[in-house]
Amino acid sequence: QAKYLAQIILVGAQVVGRAFMRALRQEFAASRAAADARGRSERPQSAAASRITGISLQEAQQILNVSNLNPEQIQKNYDHLFKVNDKSVGGSFYLQSKVVRAKERLDEELRIQAKDEKEKGWKAET
């Protein structure tokens, strides 16, 4: 009987192991597909900025709670969130660093947009 019990346990472990590996492969494939889709939806410069900063434009906008790229609103929300997440007032250094990264990402996007506008102005003049 112990032999049969050991076989049942072994077969059960193999089934569970295979199911786990299949689920893991599916999750990796879905993650890769989502990353590819995110990369395709952004302009090349914007996608590069997302890779460099490690944060997407959408995520940065969510963190700083801005729906459009208004520099004044971005700065206002950044100042507030940076202050309330200061460790000296019981805030979280992790959250404060996410706020800083989000601000850097949005500043980079504003710089990219300004460069695009400047290039469009040059093309219109010629």
Side-chain angles (χ1 to χ4, degrees):
Q1 276 195 350
K3 180 180 173 183
Y4 293 123
L5 185 59
Q7 285 179 331
I8 290 171
I9 292 172
L10 184 63
V11 169
Q14 288 175 339
V15 169
V16 170
R18 282 189 209 117
F20 178 75
M21 289 305 295
R22 192 175 316 120
L24 200 57
R25 280 189 214 106
Q26 287 175 346
E27 183 59 34
F28 282 142
S31 176
R32 192 176 312 118
D36 290 345
R38 215 175 25 249
R40 282 193 304 271
S41 68
E42 294 180 340
R43 297 185 323 255
Q45 287 179 321
S46 188
S50 292
R51 280 192 303 277
I52 290 168
T53 59
I55 187 171
S56 72
L57 179 59
Q58 281 183 322
E59 186 180 1
Q61 287 177 306
Q62 289 174 343
I63 290 169
L64 289 181
N65 193 28
V66 293
S67 55
N68 56 16
L69 296 177
N70 177 341
E72 292 82 22
Q73 187 66 40
I74 291 170
Q75 187 63 47
K76 178 183 171 195
N77 290 6
Y78 167 78
D79 290 340
H80 171 72
L81 290 170
F82 189 85
K83 192 182 339 174
V84 298
N85 285 299
D86 191 352
K87 200 152 173 76
S88 66
V89 294
S92 162
F93 179 73
Y94 173 77
L95 291 177
Q96 194 178 42
S97 67
K98 290 294 269 184
V99 168
V100 170
R101 297 294 163 254
K103 173 78 164 64
E104 288 174 347
R105 177 62 183 91
L106 294 178
D107 287 345
E108 183 63 20
E109 191 66 25
L110 288 168
R111 189 192 64 74
I112 291 169
Q113 284 185 357
K115 183 180 175 188
D116 288 348
E117 291 295 321
K118 187 177 179 183
E119 287 175 0
K120 284 179 186 176
W122 281 4
K123 288 178 183 175
E125 290 175 8
T126 57

